[in-house]
Amino acid sequence: EGQLVQSGAEVKKPGESLRISCRGSGYSFPNYWIGWARQMPGKGLEWMGIIYPGDSDIRYTPSFQGQVTISAEKSINTAYLQWTSLKASDTAMYYCARRKLSGTYFFGAFDIWGQGTMVTVSS
Amino acid sequence: EIVLTQSPGTLSLSPGGRATLSCRASQSVSSSYLAWYQQKPGQAPRLLIYGASSRATGIPDRFSGSGSGTDFTLTISRLEPEDFAVYYCQLFGSSLWTFGQGTKVDIK
């Protein structure tokens, strides 16, 4: 059925850079969209962007365009979320998730989620 | 930009009760883009319903989704202790990506 495993929690200082990862297994990783979502402490979920690892087609939501970089390395079944200069307001849990595919149709739903990576940015 | 508004914010019910959660879109959307998720404290979201009314793999049949256009509903027919959680509706399709703010179902 598949699994997504994310990298571990991070504690960083403002201005530092960071890349977190999401590794897929048990399915054909290049052929499924991977989305990244943010959940700030005590708050709801927000989509940040998605990537199709097969050809690195990437799309960002307007709020996150220019704020983060999404990438993938299909040869190692891994997607990434990257910051060049973290802010305290980036403190959140970040989830990756696989978009549901049936045949050749991608539904507007995500059926497999990573366990989340907690990013804490504090001086 | 399409906004999803969930109501109520909190639903207090007893085990065995029936939960009806609402998700209203600010404009008409395709049902194929509408999904519902459950999230428990300290856990990742879990897909319950996709395409507005199709249950995801392994989801009990006490969960059902319905609706079209701008109004969508998640119903939990008989609440089990493990169902007390936060529920999010979500729109994802073309350039429309957003979550509702969530409905918390807690024990009365």
Side-chain angles (χ1 to χ4, degrees), chain A residues 39 43-47 49-50 59-61 95 99-100 105 107-111 113-114, chain B residues 32-35 37 39 43-45 47 50-51 57 88 90-93 97-99 101:
Chain A
Q39 189 167 39
K43 302 299 184 182
L45 296 157
E46 304 169 87
W47 284 117
I50 55 170
R59 299 161 197 197
Y60 296 93
T61 59
Y95 293 102
R99 192 170 179 183
K100 181 172 176 62
Y105 182 76
F107 283 93
F110 289 75
D111 59 353
W113 290 68
Chain B
S32 66
Y33 296 163
L34 199 287
Y37 299 87
Q39 189 178 32
Q43 296 185 18
L47 177 65
Y50 65 95
T57 302
Y88 294 96
Q90 173 239 256
L91 182 67
F92 200 100
W97 315 346
T98 189
F99 286 95
Q101 81 277 21

Side-chain angles (χ1 to χ4, degrees), chain A residues 103-118:
Chain A
T104 60
Y105 182 76
F106 281 104
F107 283 93
F110 289 75
D111 59 353
I112 296 176
W113 290 68
Q115 83 277 20
T117 296
M118 184 66 207

Side-chain angles (χ1 to χ4, degrees), chain B residues 13-74:
Chain B
L13 294 168
S14 301
R18 180 183 183 90
T20 303
L21 286 66
S22 172
C23 176
R24 177 163 290 176
S26 56
Q27 56 186 277
S28 184
V29 300
S30 170
S31 296
S32 66
Y33 296 163
L34 199 287
W36 290 91
Y37 299 87
Q38 176 194 67
Q39 189 178 32
K40 297 179 181 179
Q43 296 185 18
R46 176 173 73 144
L47 177 65
L48 299 175
I49 301 289
Y50 65 95
S53 60
S54 297
R55 268 188 303 277
T57 302
I59 300 304
D61 62 7
R62 64 180 181 272
F63 291 91
S64 63
S66 62
S68 63
T70 60
D71 291 300
F72 299 89
T73 300
L74 174 70

